[in-house]
Amino acid sequence: MKILSVFGTRPEAIKMAPVVKALEADERFVSKVCVTGQHSEMLEQVNTLFNIVPDIDLKVMKAGQGLTHITTAVLEGMEKVLTEYRPDCVLVHGDTTTSTAAALAAFYAGVSVGHVEAGLRTHNLLSPWPEEANRQITGRLANIHFAPTELSRSNLIAENVDETKIHVTGNTVIDALLMIKSQLDSDAALNEKLASQFPFLDPAKRLILVTGHRRENQDGGIASVCRALADLSKRDDVQILYPVHLNPKVKKVADEILSGVENIFLIDPLSYLPFVWVLNACSLVVTDSGGLQEEAPSFGKPVLVTRDTTERPEAINAGTVKLVGTETSNLINNIKELLDNNQIYSEMAMAHNPYGDGHAASRISDILSNIK
């Protein structure tokens, strides 16, 4: 069976890496990888870490790119790839513009689409934007749905998706995280090497890990978050590490508000290995990322989500994640509560992660092998 895995951003690469490796190791498949380059530098870091060498690179990224450019460039690039390779199935992941455009190209070419991380919903097309629209569109185009949880499966059934086409697998991001955690647990020299990349961190202080990049937060939300961080940095028991997204709209705001502020360290985006090391070392996470809502609980790290909606309500129900929005004073209060109330912190840190056991990729390969 000929499988073409298509991804273009760092989060997709992390979550698709276990699937790619499982397909490569399985003699039932001829597996090829097409990267679009929606994010180029950050994508390459992940591929190198997991020893993935793309067979095709569409190289669509350009300075100041918008969604229309990404969509049309991926559509045009995929048309040629699908004509030449003629896969039996195209695998796409999640909710990116790459995923939707690649799925549409496969649909036009009459090629089956497998959607990894299918069925996540906020039911609000504007939040997160454009991701909610992307995942719904991809879901309508897909023939095979790999849902991470039973709730995701229920979402698809409510949209009249054929139940026989939906498979609950767990989330592949847990597979990826546990692969890297295994390396860290077994290699003391690697841990020392990674720790040496952060000589400015004080182990006596509690570390808050921050990420933020969502388009919906770029018109004021990220600035509000930064003001909250500046206020919290006055505490002498806290340090804040913020790997700032390369998007100029994000970086400009973070630099203007937080550059030079004591106890706050603005750094370039981390490759996945040191990022996992920091995630393991931190006390809590403040983020608008979807993936971190799944990853951090595997390490027992409470997550405050700077969004008004989430397509991952399982984490909220489990108690590992709390939606706090971006309003400055509310964010300050929620972070202080976790720092100062041991009971609330422990309840979030010890809650069960609902997103998987590290075997999602092998389930996906087995399901694909049985599809006629």
Side-chain angles (χ1 to χ4, degrees):
M1 189 176 188
K2 295 168 68 176
I3 306 291
L4 181 65
S5 300
V6 184
F7 48 92
T9 67
R10 170 179 143 148
E12 287 172 283
I14 293 167
K15 295 181 178 185
M16 285 296 285
V19 179
V20 170
K21 303 309 287 186
L23 294 174
E24 284 179 352
D26 194 326
E27 62 183 13
R28 295 173 293 184
F29 302 100
V30 175
S31 173
K32 288 196 175 186
V33 172
C34 173
V35 295
T36 67
Q38 180 176 337
H39 297 166
S40 55
E41 182 180 341
M42 291 187 285
L43 177 67
E44 185 177 347
Q45 292 172 354
V46 177
N47 286 336
T48 299
L49 174 63
F50 288 97
N51 194 27
I52 294 172
V53 180
D55 299 281
I56 305 145
D57 187 348
L58 300 184
K59 297 182 179 179
V60 306
M61 185 174 179
K62 70 174 185 179
Q65 66 185 12
L67 297 176
T68 301
H69 162 73
I70 299 169
T71 303
T72 55
V74 172
L75 268 174
E76 291 179 353
M78 285 296 299
E79 181 179 26
K80 180 179 180 182
V81 172
L82 293 168
T83 299
E84 293 180 354
Y85 181 50
R86 296 304 303 177
D88 297 300
C89 182
V90 168
L91 290 182
V92 298
H93 184 281
D95 56 18
T96 68
T97 305
T98 279
S99 296
T100 301
L104 184 58
F107 173 74
Y108 285 161
V111 176
S112 179
V113 175
H115 189 195
V116 181
E117 198 184 80
L120 279 66
R121 296 290 184 271
T122 65
H123 305 291
N124 178 354
L125 285 178
L126 299 180
S127 181
W129 182 90
E131 287 83 4
E132 177 69 10
N134 285 341
R135 64 173 69 101
Q136 290 197 33
I137 294 167
T138 304
R140 301 314 300 172
L141 297 170
N143 309 94
I144 315 159
H145 306 260
F146 300 108
T149 66
E150 287 291 341
L151 179 58
S152 298
R153 178 178 181 272
S154 298
N155 288 336
L156 292 166
I157 291 172
E159 296 173 359
N160 297 316
V161 174
D162 184 346
E163 291 186 43
T164 66
K165 306 296 185 183
I166 308 170
H167 308 273
V168 178
T169 61
N171 200 304
T172 58
V173 75
I174 306 302
D175 298 33
L177 186 70
L178 295 180
M179 289 166 68
I180 299 303
K181 187 176 186 299
S182 178
Q183 291 185 41
L184 295 175
D185 289 345
S186 62
D187 193 335
L190 177 60
N191 269 285
E192 290 181 10
K193 180 180 178 181
L194 291 168
S196 70
Q197 296 183 28
F198 307 95
F200 46 84
L201 293 181
D202 182 351
K205 294 183 178 182
R206 302 181 74 178
L207 177 61
I208 301 173
L209 173 61
V210 179
T211 73
H213 72 282
R214 291 279 183 182
R215 284 182 174 87
E216 74 220 54
N217 283 343
Q218 290 175 14
D219 290 329
I222 289 174
S224 295
V225 171
C226 288
R227 286 191 288 270
L229 299 177
D231 183 272
L232 288 158
S233 71
K234 299 171 186 176
R235 293 177 58 128
D236 58 12
D237 62 337
V238 164
Q239 56 192 339
I240 298 167
L241 184 66
Y242 186 174
V244 182
H245 199 276
L246 296 177
N247 187 312
K249 292 183 179 179
V250 177
K251 186 171 176 56
K252 182 175 184 292
V253 172
D255 286 344
E256 286 178 351
I257 298 174
L258 298 177
S259 182
V261 176
E262 189 174 0
N263 293 322
I264 294 182
F265 304 99
L266 303 180
I267 62 173
D268 289 337
L270 294 168
S271 57
Y272 191 55
L273 185 58
F275 186 84
V276 172
W277 184 89
V278 169
L279 182 60
N280 194 38
C282 77
S283 292
L284 63 97
V285 176
V286 176
T287 186
D288 60 16
S289 163
L292 265 172
Q293 294 176 53
E294 300 158 344
E295 293 167 300
S298 289
F299 284 177
K301 311 301 179 180
V303 183
L304 298 179
V305 180
T306 52
R307 290 163 55 182
D308 296 321
T309 60
T310 180
E311 61 286 354
R312 292 166 172 86
E314 300 95 335
I316 294 175
N317 295 335
T320 61
V321 160
K322 184 177 181 181
L323 276 180
V324 296
T326 59
E327 199 273 322
T328 299
S329 62
N330 186 56
L331 181 56
I332 291 170
N333 291 337
N334 276 278
I335 294 175
K336 285 182 176 179
E337 184 177 58
L338 282 174
L339 292 172
D340 299 332
N341 189 316
N342 290 334
Q343 180 178 346
I344 290 175
Y345 182 92
S346 296
E347 287 173 354
M348 290 189 73
M350 297 176 67
H352 171 69
N353 187 349
Y355 289 110
D357 57 5
H359 299 289
S362 61
R363 293 188 185 100
I364 290 169
S365 63
D366 286 341
I367 292 162
L368 285 170
S369 72
N370 290 315
I371 291 173
K372 305 301 181 184

